[in-house]
Each structure stands twice: as C-alpha cells, then as structure tokens.
Amino acid sequence: QVQFVESGGGLVQPGGSLRLSCAASGNIFSALAIAWYRQAPGKQRELVATITPGDSTNYADSVKGRFTISRDNIKNTVSLQMNTLKPEDTAVYYCNVNGRVHYWGQGTQVTVSS
C-alpha cells in the first residue's frame, strides 16, 4: 500500500506558473505508474498527466504543452510543473497510482484568478 501527500498549491494569476509536489511512502513506488488528477467543484475528477516507471509521459489535451510531470525514484516524489495557467485549471489536484485508486488524499488547491 502506497500513501501520497500533495503540496505546493496556491493562488496564481492567469499566465503564471506553479509547481506541485507529491511525496509517496512505500517500497514499490519506483515500479508504479503515477498520475496527477484534478477535480473542480461540481465536476468529475479527471486525469491530468501520467508517468510510467520508465519516465514515459502522457497529458490531457487541455494541459498538453503547458504542464510537465516528472518523478524522482530516489526521493519517492512526483512533481507537476504548471505553466501558462488558465482559470479553467482551478481545481484540487491529487496524485495517486495510474490505475485502481483505493484511497484519496486531501489534495492541494490550485486557484488561477486575477
């Protein structure tokens, strides 16, 4: 069982940047595909970006070219660099396995507003 703790959210103006971090616990982290998800009020949770154990990445069309996911298997961390932020990026952001999610953490709030 792996646990995830998100951090780095905050308030940023449109066009700004933010870097989110995810700290994971568990000795199988390096073998897992990891994903960032987000959920805006009244909307379904959606998949934002994924990264495999071999560092292959995929992105939702809405963030492609603006967001970058990366991982550090020594530190057991995953990051999400978010550039050129838009108001529609406002959501609670979560990290977890890219697969069947058993438990969700608290997430970290990202608010993009002028």
Side-chain angles (χ1 to χ4, degrees), residues 61-75:
D61 287 342
S62 59
V63 308
K64 193 169 297 182
R66 300 187 298 118
F67 289 12
T68 303
I69 187 172
S70 60
R71 70 191 298 163
D72 185 332
N73 289 332
I74 303 301
K75 296 181 178 180

PDB file of all heavy atoms in Angstrom, residues 61-75:
ATOM      1  N   ASP A  61      -5.346  16.595 -23.178  1.00  0.00           N
ATOM      2  CA  ASP A  61      -5.236  17.602 -24.230  1.00  0.00           C
ATOM      3  C   ASP A  61      -5.304  19.025 -23.676  1.00  0.00           C
ATOM      4  O   ASP A  61      -4.666  19.935 -24.208  1.00  0.00           O
ATOM      5  CB  ASP A  61      -6.337  17.406 -25.269  1.00  0.00           C
ATOM      6  CG  ASP A  61      -6.105  16.193 -26.144  1.00  0.00           C
ATOM      7  OD1 ASP A  61      -4.960  15.699 -26.206  1.00  0.00           O
ATOM      8  OD2 ASP A  61      -7.074  15.734 -26.777  1.00  0.00           O
ATOM      9  N   SER A  62      -6.057  19.211 -22.612  1.00  0.00           N
ATOM     10  CA  SER A  62      -6.255  20.540 -22.057  1.00  0.00           C
ATOM     11  C   SER A  62      -4.999  21.134 -21.428  1.00  0.00           C
ATOM     12  O   SER A  62      -4.915  22.348 -21.250  1.00  0.00           O
ATOM     13  CB  SER A  62      -7.380  20.520 -21.024  1.00  0.00           C
ATOM     14  OG  SER A  62      -7.083  19.614 -19.975  1.00  0.00           O
ATOM     15  N   VAL A  63      -4.010  20.291 -21.093  1.00  0.00           N
ATOM     16  CA  VAL A  63      -2.797  20.774 -20.443  1.00  0.00           C
ATOM     17  C   VAL A  63      -1.545  20.506 -21.257  1.00  0.00           C
ATOM     18  O   VAL A  63      -0.451  20.949 -20.868  1.00  0.00           O
ATOM     19  CB  VAL A  63      -2.624  20.176 -19.031  1.00  0.00           C
ATOM     20  CG1 VAL A  63      -3.886  20.380 -18.203  1.00  0.00           C
ATOM     21  CG2 VAL A  63      -2.262  18.695 -19.101  1.00  0.00           C
ATOM     22  N   LYS A  64      -1.670  19.812 -22.362  1.00  0.00           N
ATOM     23  CA  LYS A  64      -0.517  19.448 -23.174  1.00  0.00           C
ATOM     24  C   LYS A  64       0.230  20.692 -23.648  1.00  0.00           C
ATOM     25  O   LYS A  64      -0.373  21.640 -24.148  1.00  0.00           O
ATOM     26  CB  LYS A  64      -0.971  18.604 -24.364  1.00  0.00           C
ATOM     27  CG  LYS A  64       0.153  17.901 -25.111  1.00  0.00           C
ATOM     28  CD  LYS A  64      -0.415  16.873 -26.101  1.00  0.00           C
ATOM     29  CE  LYS A  64      -1.180  15.778 -25.378  1.00  0.00           C
ATOM     30  NZ  LYS A  64      -1.695  14.735 -26.314  1.00  0.00           N
ATOM     31  N   GLY A  65       1.537  20.675 -23.465  1.00  0.00           N
ATOM     32  CA  GLY A  65       2.361  21.809 -23.829  1.00  0.00           C
ATOM     33  C   GLY A  65       2.531  22.829 -22.732  1.00  0.00           C
ATOM     34  O   GLY A  65       3.392  23.712 -22.836  1.00  0.00           O
ATOM     35  N   ARG A  66       1.724  22.733 -21.672  1.00  0.00           N
ATOM     36  CA  ARG A  66       1.795  23.671 -20.563  1.00  0.00           C
ATOM     37  C   ARG A  66       2.276  23.016 -19.266  1.00  0.00           C
ATOM     38  O   ARG A  66       2.933  23.667 -18.463  1.00  0.00           O
ATOM     39  CB  ARG A  66       0.433  24.321 -20.315  1.00  0.00           C
ATOM     40  CG  ARG A  66      -0.107  25.101 -21.503  1.00  0.00           C
ATOM     41  CD  ARG A  66      -1.369  25.872 -21.137  1.00  0.00           C
ATOM     42  NE  ARG A  66      -2.458  24.983 -20.732  1.00  0.00           N
ATOM     43  CZ  ARG A  66      -3.032  24.981 -19.522  1.00  0.00           C
ATOM     44  NH1 ARG A  66      -2.625  25.843 -18.598  1.00  0.00           N
ATOM     45  NH2 ARG A  66      -4.024  24.148 -19.262  1.00  0.00           N
ATOM     46  N   PHE A  67       1.930  21.746 -19.058  1.00  0.00           N
ATOM     47  CA  PHE A  67       2.271  21.028 -17.833  1.00  0.00           C
ATOM     48  C   PHE A  67       3.350  19.991 -18.123  1.00  0.00           C
ATOM     49  O   PHE A  67       3.397  19.409 -19.218  1.00  0.00           O
ATOM     50  CB  PHE A  67       1.054  20.296 -17.263  1.00  0.00           C
ATOM     51  CG  PHE A  67      -0.015  21.180 -16.671  1.00  0.00           C
ATOM     52  CD1 PHE A  67      -0.016  22.556 -16.863  1.00  0.00           C
ATOM     53  CD2 PHE A  67      -1.023  20.619 -15.916  1.00  0.00           C
ATOM     54  CE1 PHE A  67      -1.008  23.355 -16.316  1.00  0.00           C
ATOM     55  CE2 PHE A  67      -2.023  21.402 -15.362  1.00  0.00           C
ATOM     56  CZ  PHE A  67      -2.015  22.774 -15.560  1.00  0.00           C
ATOM     57  N   THR A  68       4.192  19.722 -17.128  1.00  0.00           N
ATOM     58  CA  THR A  68       5.222  18.700 -17.229  1.00  0.00           C
ATOM     59  C   THR A  68       5.234  17.875 -15.949  1.00  0.00           C
ATOM     60  O   THR A  68       5.374  18.424 -14.856  1.00  0.00           O
ATOM     61  CB  THR A  68       6.613  19.307 -17.464  1.00  0.00           C
ATOM     62  OG1 THR A  68       6.598  20.108 -18.649  1.00  0.00           O
ATOM     63  CG2 THR A  68       7.648  18.197 -17.623  1.00  0.00           C
ATOM     64  N   ILE A  69       5.096  16.559 -16.086  1.00  0.00           N
ATOM     65  CA  ILE A  69       5.169  15.653 -14.949  1.00  0.00           C
ATOM     66  C   ILE A  69       6.554  15.010 -14.921  1.00  0.00           C
ATOM     67  O   ILE A  69       7.129  14.695 -15.957  1.00  0.00           O
ATOM     68  CB  ILE A  69       4.053  14.583 -15.017  1.00  0.00           C
ATOM     69  CG1 ILE A  69       4.022  13.736 -13.743  1.00  0.00           C
ATOM     70  CG2 ILE A  69       4.201  13.712 -16.255  1.00  0.00           C
ATOM     71  CD1 ILE A  69       2.820  12.787 -13.675  1.00  0.00           C
ATOM     72  N   SER A  70       7.093  14.826 -13.726  1.00  0.00           N
ATOM     73  CA  SER A  70       8.391  14.187 -13.561  1.00  0.00           C
ATOM     74  C   SER A  70       8.412  13.416 -12.249  1.00  0.00           C
ATOM     75  O   SER A  70       7.557  13.614 -11.386  1.00  0.00           O
ATOM     76  CB  SER A  70       9.527  15.218 -13.606  1.00  0.00           C
ATOM     77  OG  SER A  70       9.388  16.171 -12.565  1.00  0.00           O
ATOM     78  N   ARG A  71       9.389  12.527 -12.109  1.00  0.00           N
ATOM     79  CA  ARG A  71       9.490  11.738 -10.880  1.00  0.00           C
ATOM     80  C   ARG A  71      10.934  11.575 -10.467  1.00  0.00           C
ATOM     81  O   ARG A  71      11.854  11.617 -11.292  1.00  0.00           O
ATOM     82  CB  ARG A  71       8.826  10.363 -11.061  1.00  0.00           C
ATOM     83  CG  ARG A  71       9.567   9.421 -11.995  1.00  0.00           C
ATOM     84  CD  ARG A  71       8.730   8.200 -12.336  1.00  0.00           C
ATOM     85  NE  ARG A  71       8.406   7.394 -11.169  1.00  0.00           N
ATOM     86  CZ  ARG A  71       7.449   6.474 -11.119  1.00  0.00           C
ATOM     87  NH1 ARG A  71       6.692   6.257 -12.189  1.00  0.00           N
ATOM     88  NH2 ARG A  71       7.232   5.779 -10.008  1.00  0.00           N
ATOM     89  N   ASP A  72      11.133  11.372  -9.179  1.00  0.00           N
ATOM     90  CA  ASP A  72      12.435  11.095  -8.603  1.00  0.00           C
ATOM     91  C   ASP A  72      12.273   9.826  -7.778  1.00  0.00           C
ATOM     92  O   ASP A  72      11.690   9.856  -6.692  1.00  0.00           O
ATOM     93  CB  ASP A  72      12.912  12.262  -7.744  1.00  0.00           C
ATOM     94  CG  ASP A  72      14.324  12.076  -7.227  1.00  0.00           C
ATOM     95  OD1 ASP A  72      14.768  10.928  -7.058  1.00  0.00           O
ATOM     96  OD2 ASP A  72      15.002  13.097  -6.986  1.00  0.00           O
ATOM     97  N   ASN A  73      12.756   8.709  -8.294  1.00  0.00           N
ATOM     98  CA  ASN A  73      12.561   7.425  -7.630  1.00  0.00           C
ATOM     99  C   ASN A  73      13.457   7.241  -6.413  1.00  0.00           C
ATOM    100  O   ASN A  73      13.219   6.340  -5.607  1.00  0.00           O
ATOM    101  CB  ASN A  73      12.788   6.283  -8.622  1.00  0.00           C
ATOM    102  CG  ASN A  73      11.689   6.182  -9.651  1.00  0.00           C
ATOM    103  OD1 ASN A  73      10.542   6.568  -9.395  1.00  0.00           O
ATOM    104  ND2 ASN A  73      12.015   5.667 -10.830  1.00  0.00           N
ATOM    105  N   ILE A  74      14.489   8.077  -6.277  1.00  0.00           N
ATOM    106  CA  ILE A  74      15.322   8.029  -5.087  1.00  0.00           C
ATOM    107  C   ILE A  74      14.610   8.689  -3.918  1.00  0.00           C
ATOM    108  O   ILE A  74      14.617   8.187  -2.797  1.00  0.00           O
ATOM    109  CB  ILE A  74      16.690   8.692  -5.335  1.00  0.00           C
ATOM    110  CG1 ILE A  74      17.405   8.019  -6.505  1.00  0.00           C
ATOM    111  CG2 ILE A  74      17.539   8.646  -4.074  1.00  0.00           C
ATOM    112  CD1 ILE A  74      17.642   6.543  -6.313  1.00  0.00           C
ATOM    113  N   LYS A  75      13.984   9.831  -4.187  1.00  0.00           N
ATOM    114  CA  LYS A  75      13.260  10.571  -3.162  1.00  0.00           C
ATOM    115  C   LYS A  75      11.806  10.128  -3.005  1.00  0.00           C
ATOM    116  O   LYS A  75      11.124  10.583  -2.090  1.00  0.00           O
ATOM    117  CB  LYS A  75      13.287  12.064  -3.463  1.00  0.00           C
ATOM    118  CG  LYS A  75      14.672  12.678  -3.434  1.00  0.00           C
ATOM    119  CD  LYS A  75      14.594  14.172  -3.715  1.00  0.00           C
ATOM    120  CE  LYS A  75      15.956  14.822  -3.637  1.00  0.00           C
ATOM    121  NZ  LYS A  75      15.877  16.282  -3.922  1.00  0.00           N
TER     122      LYS A  75
END
